[in-house]
Structure formats: C-alpha cells, structure tokens
Amino acid sequence: MTLRLISKLASPSALRRCALASSKSQAFGTASLLQRSAIRNAVSGPGGNIYTARSLHTTAIAHHGHVHKPNPGEELHVTFITKEGEQIQLEVAEGDNLLDIAQAHNMDMEGACGGSCACSTCHVIVDPDYYDKMEEPDDDENDMLDLAFGLTETSRLGCQIKMTKELDGVRVALPAMTRNLQARDFQ
Amino acid sequence: MVPLKLAIVGSGPAGFYTASRLLEKVPNAVVDMYEALPVPFGLSRFGVAPDHPEVKNCQDKFVQVAEAPHFRFVGNVCIGRDLTLKSLKDNYNSVVFAYGSSQDRLLNVPGEELPGVFSAREFVGWYNGVPELRALNPPLQDAEDVVIVGNGNVALDVARILLADPTRLKSTDIGEHAYDVLRKSKVKNVRIVGRRGLLQSAFTNKEIRELINEPGTMMKPLADVYINHYKPFVPFLERPIKRLVQIVEKARTNSNDQIAKANQGQGSLPSKQWSLEYLLSPQRFYASSSNPNILSSTLFEVNTLLQKDIKSPSVCRGTGETKSFKTELAFRSIGYKSLPLPGSAELGIPFDEQSGRIPNELGRIAGVPGFYVSGWVKNGPTGVIAKTMWDAFEVAETVLEDLYSHKLDTSSKPGYEGVLPEIKSQPVSWTDWLKIDQEETSRGAAQGKPRAKFTSVNDMLSVL
Ligand SMILES: Cc1cc2nc3c(=O)[nH]c(=O)nc-3n(C[C@H](O)[C@H](O)[C@H](O)COP(=O)(O)OP(=O)(O)OC[C@H]3O[C@@H](n4cnc5c(N)ncnc54)[C@H](O)[C@@H]3O)c2cc1C
Ligand SMILES: NC(=O)c1ccc[n+]([C@@H]2O[C@H](COP(=O)([O-])OP(=O)(O)OC[C@H]3O[C@@H](n4cnc5c(N)ncnc54)[C@H](OP(=O)(O)O)[C@@H]3O)[C@@H](O)[C@H]2O)c1
C-alpha cells in the first residue's frame, strides 16, 4: 500500500499518460527529456529523495526475496509505467531483472514460467532510447516475443533484462492486457 | 460483509488464474474449486510435455492461490457425476466453468476407428499418466513409419516424444509405463502433415526449433513444392511467421549439407528422421494385413490453397489428386473438444456443438445470471497458458462488472457446507493433495525424477 502512495506522489497527473498499447510512439515517443526530468524531480522532490523512506521498500523486498538491496551510492533507477499510466520509479541493484523487481514491488506483472523465458507474460515495452543500449534478444526470447500480445519494435521480456549501469534510468511500460475495474467506478 | 460464495469447476490454469484475480479483488470472496481428479492443475500436469518442466512453473502461482485463506480445493469430485450442477447453482452466488476440453475432434474419414490410429490427446495423456489412459500402450515396437495429422504444438510434442532418445526423457516426470514402451520403439520416420501450407502452420517458433535441434534426429529437407507455394508471399509476412520461414529454411540448408557430406562418405545420417508435409488431407487409413494392431498406409488428397489476398484467411480445396504414405501408426492431432456438463441443458446453459464451446460474452453466459466460463471451454481448445491466463483475468473482470453493477445475487449462500451432504465421492482437500504431492516427489527422487506420478485414482487415494 505504501508503494501505491509513492506512485501517486511520483506521478503528477499531467504526466499520467495512458500507458500505451501498441506503438512505440504511443508509449514513449512524446515523452520529452523535459518530461522525463519532471518525472525525476517529482520523484526526488525539492526536499530530497522521497525514496529515503527506504524502509518501505525493504519491507516489500524482504517479503518476496528475489531482489537485492542496492549498495549505498550504487543505486540504479528504473521507472515502470503501469497499465493505469502511473509512473513508478524504483531504486534497484545491478544484476536484478525487471520481472523480479516488478514482483518484489507488488506491481502487476505476471511471470507464469517463473522467469525461465518460456512464456510471454512479463512482456514490457522499453523506452526506445534505452532499447538500443540493451543486448539483442536471443532466439529463445524472440520465440516468446513472437507470442506476446501487442508486440512492438521495442518489446522485451522483463525476465531477460538485467539492470546494468548503462540501463540506469530506463523506463518500461507494462502493456494493458485486461480491464481493471474498481467498485468506485460504478458508484 | 456477507461472503460471496463462488464455485469454480476445474483446476487447470483457467480455474486458478480466474480464482487468483477474484480473490485479489473481491475482499469477501470465498472460492471453492471442484476438480474431477484427486490431483490439481489440469493440462499443466497432464498435457505439458515432461521435458518442458519450466512451463509447469505456473503451478507455483497456483499453490499461492490455493494457500489463500478463502480458497478451498475440492478434488475427486466430478461435477455432473459426483455432484450435480443444480446443487452448485443452489448453494453458490456464482459458478465459473473452467473444465477444459476432455475429448477430441474427429477427422470423419474411413479407417479412423482402426486400432493403429490414435488420438494425440490419448497418447499425451498416456505418457503423462492420466489414470484412464494409462493402459493405452501404443504398439511402438511394431512401427517404423508414423503419420501425425495436424501440425499444432501438440503434434510437435507427439513427434518429439516419439523421436527423442528415451534416455533423455528418463529423468523427467514421464510415466515409467510409457518410458518402458518408448524404449522398445522402432519408430524412425515421422511425417507431420498439415492440410494447408507452411505459412499456415499451427506450431510456434520455439517448438519447431526445439524439434529441429532434437539430438540424434534430422529434419528431412522441406520439399520444393511446398516452398514454391509460399515464396511469393515472403516479403509481406509479419515478424513471427517470417522468423518461422527462416528457421525452417535454415534447417533445410543444414540437412542438405549433412546429406551431401554423407553422400561423399563423410559421416552418416541420423537413423531417426522427420519431415513437414503440407497441403494434404487424409482420406483413408488402411489396416495392415499381417498385424491387426497397426496400419499399412494412409491415403491423402492433395490440396490447393484459396486465398483472396495475403491478409485474408486461406482455405484448402481438394484437387482430386492423391498421395499415399507408408504408415504403421497414425496420430490424429487436430485439436481437443469440450463437452457440455451433464445437467447443463436443464439449467438453460447453451452449448455450441459446432465450435465445441459454451457461447459467452467476455465469459458471461447470456441469459443464465451468475454463470461464467473461462479457458478452453470458453474459447475452444487453443491458446498457450499465457493466453489462458490473460483471458481468465478478463473473465474475472466480467464477474466484477456484474458484481459492481448489482447483477449478481449477493444474498447469503451455504456454499461448500450446503453441497457436502450431496457429494457422492470422497472429496480430496488441498492438504490431502499435498500428501499425494509429497509421496510423488519422494518416489520420484528415489528414481532421479522430479516426480513419479500415480497413474490410478486408487493409488492416489491410498496415500490419504
Ligand atoms: C498436450 C498439450 C501440451 C501443452 N503444452 C503447453 C506448453 O508447453 N506451454 C503452454 O503455454 N501451453 C501448453 N498447452 C496449453 C495449456 O495446457 C492450456 O492453455 C491450458 O491448460 C488450458 O487451461 P484450462 O484450465 O482451460 O483447461 P485444463 O488445463 O484442461 O483444465 C481443466 C480441468 O477441469 C477438470 N474437469 C474436467 N471436467 C470436470 C468436471 N466435470 N468436474 C470437475 N472438474 C472437471 C479437468 O480434470 C482439468 O483438471 C498445452 C496443451 C496441450 C493439450
Ligand atoms: N509448447 C507449447 O507451447 C505447446 C505445446 C502443446 C500445445 N500448446 C498449445 O495448445 C493449443 C492446442 O494445440 P493443438 O496442436 O491441439 O491445436 P492447434 O494449434 O489448433 O492445431 C490444430 C491443427 O490441426 C489441424 N486440423 C484441424 N482440423 C483438421 C482437419 N479436419 N483435417 C486436418 N487437419 C486439421 C489444424 O489445421 P488448420 O490450421 O488448417 O485448421 C492445425 O494444424 C495451441 O494453442 C498450442 O499452441 C502449446
């Protein structure tokens, strides 16, 4: 629950764009550098990084146990754009993969095959600026991407993207696959 | 808050993923999952190939769901046999059908009923230890040439199990009974036959690459006639199918190289070979005159494809020309089929015999409030687990939509306590399943396998 709170803080409604579906321009094309730094500012805030409330994260992480706590000073950053269009920036450790990271932070990403590159449920759409910094997907990953819904030119499987220094700041969007109805929408 | 009592029929991926979303989003949901067998997970246990253990990792999620406080597994209770559908209707706020597809489609050609013609569903169930199929014992020791009709991923599973060196399968959870038969197999030539062309192949890229790379086997070079058929379309193809063409063409080049070398005396060709055949529809299976258990040949009609343009679906038409393959065993792999549950017509639940599924709108069964359908019985027998999952989430959203818009009866219902006196079998709880699971895994460990499955219901129940 605390994480959701952070996400609200971190995503001023002006930036809450409907997180995409199919084309890379829809996903990222319009997110200018300016907007991106706005996201960072919103996240960091003038009074320092709201993520200094790190205990919140560690609780969530300890619960799942798949990811590592970054060493102080070596934190890498990843921003998930949720299906609802919220932007969630996280501090993560080098070497952890995006599926484990998303699940450790209770984000809505499935990993039906447990991260063994045998399904396409952890499909993410990567910011084109970062896509090119990644190693090419191998044959196994391509085979699974071929089955992903709403495949884009910058689609990847979250379980296959390991955080590196080059990827610091990467943004990925979770494709909206299903409705997500809430009781309040019917009142 | 009055609990909302939901019954799910079937414990395969569709049942579990629907349950997971409902439990996550409805705070007062109580989910009871009814399963015909004492063991859960449907085709994840009984369909997914033994050499694909990573696919079964979805079961980790299902275990999490099963351990949720308001979830109950009721195994060994077949709805329509051990408990009536009416009883579920009377005791629950809502019922979700997720009972999959337990039969198979037929070709309806002469000779299909011969002992040498097997359905892929039976063969898969046999090697995966489905209790009622354990005694199938296909006469693999009498067969060299095999024809598989249909070219979906099930056809490729069947081909791979037939062609693989059995010692590779020994350390999987394949049934010992099946391993013993596979070890004596003489099968050395498998033809996977599609009625349309290469571009209409139903298999997916990972699975065809896997078969191409199966050690000790060789894919026979794709025949020119099939290539000529698709060549003009290649520039217009989308990424997945373009990759498929590349994969098959690369395999063709490799095999041609291998053959050329063998012809020059360098190395020999693998004894087990297989091929992709296209544009052929089976017309008749012929029995062997010397051995009643096997066939002698399969007669096909050669097809041509009719297609308005590259975007519209292609259909095949017979040309009148025929072709015959030597065949000792044939496997029909043209899809599974769902059946209506006994008692469903009385409750007004429709069933489309043609497509073999329950008609629905996003999972809602029209005209029968409170009834929903998910998974293969909703969509027909296609879709990998990922597809079944997304779809199950969508069905759960439909239930939520009806709940939030007051279309569900939310009055207090007895649920499990109400149906219990009417259950005619011995229900198996989740704790019971964990005992069976533990017994299977420890027996497996002793044999160097992840699990040694029980292959009879009595054996499963004897652990409890
Ligand atoms: C041979 C084969 C291999 C496959 N391999 C893969 C793979 O490698 N990767 C992949 O992603 N997908 C694979 N699939 C697809 C995957 O299995 C399906 O997407 C998925 O299992 C469908 O889920 P379901 O819950 O609708 O049906 P099922 O999995 O069939 O579950 C239905 C359940 O309902 C139970 N049931 C039936 N009737 C009753 C009744 N009257 N009362 C109570 N319970 C009942 C059944 O016993 C069963 O447990 C494979 C499919 C097959 C056939
Ligand atoms: N490893 C895996 O991921 C894996 C493994 C097994 C199964 N699965 C999934 O499970 C689902 C079911 O697989 P499946 O192989 O049973 O079904 P499928 O993919 O639907 O393939 C059925 C095949 O049968 C053919 N066919 C149907 N009716 C026919 C007829 N009357 N005569 C001749 N051919 C006929 C179809 O040809 P047409 O196209 O011409 O109709 C098609 O080639 C699929 O979604 C599959 O991907 C996945």
Side-chain angles (χ1 to χ4, degrees):
Chain A
M1 29 86 269
T2 33
L3 288 168
R4 288 288 159 213
L5 183 73
I6 289 177
S7 75
K8 291 272 149 58
L9 286 171
S11 51
S13 56
L15 291 175
R16 223 182 272 168
R17 293 179 302 111
C18 194
L20 37 111
S22 51
S23 80
K24 72 177 182 187
S25 64
Q26 249 181 303
F28 298 102
T30 52
S32 66
L33 267 178
L34 188 74
Q35 276 176 315
R36 252 174 252 162
S37 71
I39 298 165
R40 292 226 177 87
N41 289 341
V43 169
S44 305
N49 193 332
I50 56 168
Y51 284 82
T52 41
R54 185 142 347 106
S55 61
L56 302 178
H57 288 265
T58 11
T59 336
I61 290 165
H63 182 66
H64 290 269
H66 284 310
V67 299
H68 303 91
K69 197 177 150 183
N71 292 330
E74 292 175 16
E75 297 87 351
L76 301 178
H77 303 83
V78 50
T79 300
F80 287 92
I81 304 178
T82 70
K83 298 162 196 191
E84 287 73 36
E86 292 171 351
Q87 315 229 6
I88 302 180
Q89 197 194 48
L90 301 171
E91 280 185 355
V92 300
E94 185 161 7
D96 286 341
N97 74 55
L98 294 189
L99 172 63
D100 289 343
I101 292 171
Q103 292 197 330
H105 292 86
N106 291 325
M107 265 181 295
D108 198 6
M109 191 195 281
E110 292 291 333
C113 74
S116 51
C117 201
C119 72
S120 56
T121 54
C122 65
H123 172 203
V124 295
I125 299 169
V126 180
D127 182 335
D129 290 352
Y130 284 88
Y131 183 84
D132 296 333
K133 296 185 188 174
M134 298 176 174
E135 279 178 34
E136 294 261 307
D138 62 13
D139 284 350
D140 285 332
E141 187 179 346
N142 273 324
D143 287 346
M144 289 302 128
L145 285 170
D146 284 343
L147 300 178
F149 298 91
L151 182 70
T152 70
E153 282 173 47
T154 66
S155 287
R156 292 294 305 260
L157 295 186
C159 70
Q160 300 300 303
I161 303 179
K162 278 212 180 89
M163 283 305 292
T164 59
K165 292 199 182 69
E166 293 72 59
L167 295 187
D168 188 17
V170 64
R171 302 189 337 138
V172 299
L174 311 180
M177 298 297 306
T178 56
R179 292 170 293 168
N180 186 5
L181 304 176
Q182 305 299 332
R184 60 175 180 273
D185 302 332
F186 288 77
Q187 276 148 15
Chain B
M1 225 177 186
V2 178
L4 187 75
K5 303 273 173 86
L6 303 141
I8 296 186
V9 183
S11 71
F16 269 106
Y17 282 121
T18 311
S20 120
R21 187 80 159 220
L22 287 169
L23 286 166
E24 209 172 279
K25 292 187 72 173
V26 185
N28 60 328
V30 171
V31 174
D32 296 338
M33 180 180 280
Y34 292 86
E35 167 57 53
L37 287 164
V39 296
F41 307 143
L43 286 171
S44 171
R45 173 181 166 110
F46 290 122
V48 171
D51 56 344
H52 286 170
E54 66 289 349
V55 176
K56 297 173 194 248
N57 285 345
C58 60
Q59 294 172 11
D60 294 348
K61 167 94 177 192
F62 305 161
V63 171
Q64 274 176 25
V65 174
E67 284 168 356
H70 300 297
F71 178 92
R72 184 199 308 265
F73 175 74
V74 190
N76 200 32
V77 176
C78 178
I79 302 303
R81 185 189 68 197
D82 306 319
L83 180 65
T84 62
L85 199 50
K86 170 97 173 39
S87 193
L88 287 186
K89 180 186 159 73
D90 293 344
N91 288 286
Y92 285 89
N93 297 100
S94 173
V95 178
V96 181
F97 295 130
Y99 62 81
S101 312
S102 57
Q103 287 304 314
D104 30 60
R105 287 194 196 123
L106 295 176
L107 287 162
N108 296 315
V109 300
E112 189 174 17
E113 69 298 338
L114 288 168
V117 181
F118 288 84
S119 89
R121 180 186 61 81
E122 291 171 334
F123 182 67
V124 166
W126 168 73
Y127 66 65
N128 277 329
V130 172
E132 63 183 40
L133 295 168
R134 189 203 181 287
L136 192 76
N137 290 339
L140 303 181
Q141 71 287 354
D142 295 337
E144 290 191 345
D145 288 83
V146 166
V147 156
I148 302 176
V149 180
N151 61 18
N153 285 331
V154 171
L156 264 51
D157 275 352
V158 170
R160 198 176 66 257
I161 297 293
L162 287 171
L163 289 161
D165 179 347
T167 53
R168 184 174 78 70
L169 301 173
K170 171 109 181 101
S171 59
T172 69
D173 69 3
I174 194 165
E176 273 305 287
H177 60 288
Y179 172 73
D180 287 339
V181 174
L182 286 167
R183 240 167 15 130
K184 297 185 197 119
S185 167
K186 298 257 164 42
V187 171
K188 58 176 202 188
N189 182 23
V190 175
R191 292 186 171 94
I192 302 165
V193 188
R195 60 178 165 180
R196 298 187 288 158
L198 178 97
L199 301 185
Q200 290 76 34
S201 301
F203 56 72
T204 50
N205 293 345
K206 179 173 187 195
E207 284 62 33
I208 193 67
R209 261 192 332 112
E210 185 181 18
L211 188 59
I212 288 168
N213 294 329
E214 181 63 41
T217 70
M218 187 182 87
M219 177 180 163
K220 286 194 204 158
L222 191 69
D224 287 339
V225 34
Y226 307 142
I227 299 179
N228 299 340
H229 223 273
Y230 70 72
K231 266 288 173 224
F233 294 102
V234 169
F236 310 105
L237 302 177
E238 305 213 331
R239 167 188 149 140
I241 184 79
K242 204 172 244 168
R243 286 192 66 237
L244 184 149
V245 170
Q246 285 164 0
I247 290 167
V248 172
E249 290 189 349
K250 187 170 154 213
R252 181 171 191 266
T253 311
N254 289 344
S255 296
N256 277 330
D257 289 352
Q258 232 179 322
I259 293 168
K261 281 196 184 134
N263 287 343
Q264 292 161 14
Q266 300 170 24
S268 57
L269 294 177
S271 59
K272 292 183 188 170
Q273 303 191 356
W274 59 279
S275 59
L276 294 175
E277 310 288 343
Y278 288 101
L279 296 161
L280 297 171
S281 285
Q283 293 250 291
R284 185 178 197 120
F285 299 97
Y286 291 95
S288 154
S289 52
S290 54
N291 179 345
N293 295 326
I294 60 172
L295 305 173
S296 61
S297 67
T298 311
L299 180 74
F300 292 89
E301 180 171 22
V302 177
N303 292 329
T304 184
L305 278 189
L306 301 181
Q307 190 174 19
K308 237 176 45 216
D309 54 69
I310 184 80
K311 291 268 183 272
S312 53
S314 63
V315 293
C316 54
R317 258 315 131 69
T319 60
E321 192 190 329
T322 60
K323 187 170 181 170
S324 175
F325 289 138
K326 174 173 173 284
T327 312
E328 279 90 39
L329 291 180
F331 293 85
R332 179 182 63 221
S333 184
I334 60 170
Y336 288 36
K337 195 175 98 184
S338 303
L339 297 176
L341 281 186
S344 56
E346 289 81 342
L347 298 185
I349 294 157
F351 193 85
D352 181 349
E353 293 287 346
Q354 187 67 29
S355 60
R357 58 194 189 94
I358 299 177
N360 66 89
E361 304 148 9
L362 293 174
R364 184 187 293 113
I365 304 177
V368 203
F371 279 79
Y372 301 88
V373 58
S374 182
W376 276 19
V377 58
K378 166 178 180 281
N379 299 320
T382 62
V384 291
I385 290 169
K387 161 93 171 43
T388 301
M389 179 191 85
W390 292 122
D391 196 72
F393 289 165
E394 201 62 69
V395 174
E397 293 292 331
T398 300
V399 178
L400 287 165
E401 185 182 0
D402 289 355
L403 173 67
Y404 297 151
S405 53
H406 310 292
K407 288 186 190 133
L408 264 191
D409 172 5
T410 50
S411 64
S412 170
K413 295 280 181 182
Y416 187 62
E417 272 62 46
V419 300
L420 188 56
E422 296 176 29
I423 296 179
K424 296 202 200 86
S425 56
Q426 172 195 342
V428 168
S429 69
W430 190 257
T431 320
D432 291 339
W433 150 246
L434 292 179
K435 283 186 207 149
I436 298 173
D437 179 43
Q438 162 123 60
E439 186 63 26
E440 287 189 337
T441 33
S442 61
R443 279 165 20 118
Q447 302 168 32
K449 299 155 79 81
R451 166 187 307 276
K453 290 181 192 167
F454 288 115
T455 52
S456 90
V457 168
N458 282 341
D459 289 352
M460 292 170 184
L461 297 179
S462 71
V463 177
L464 310 178

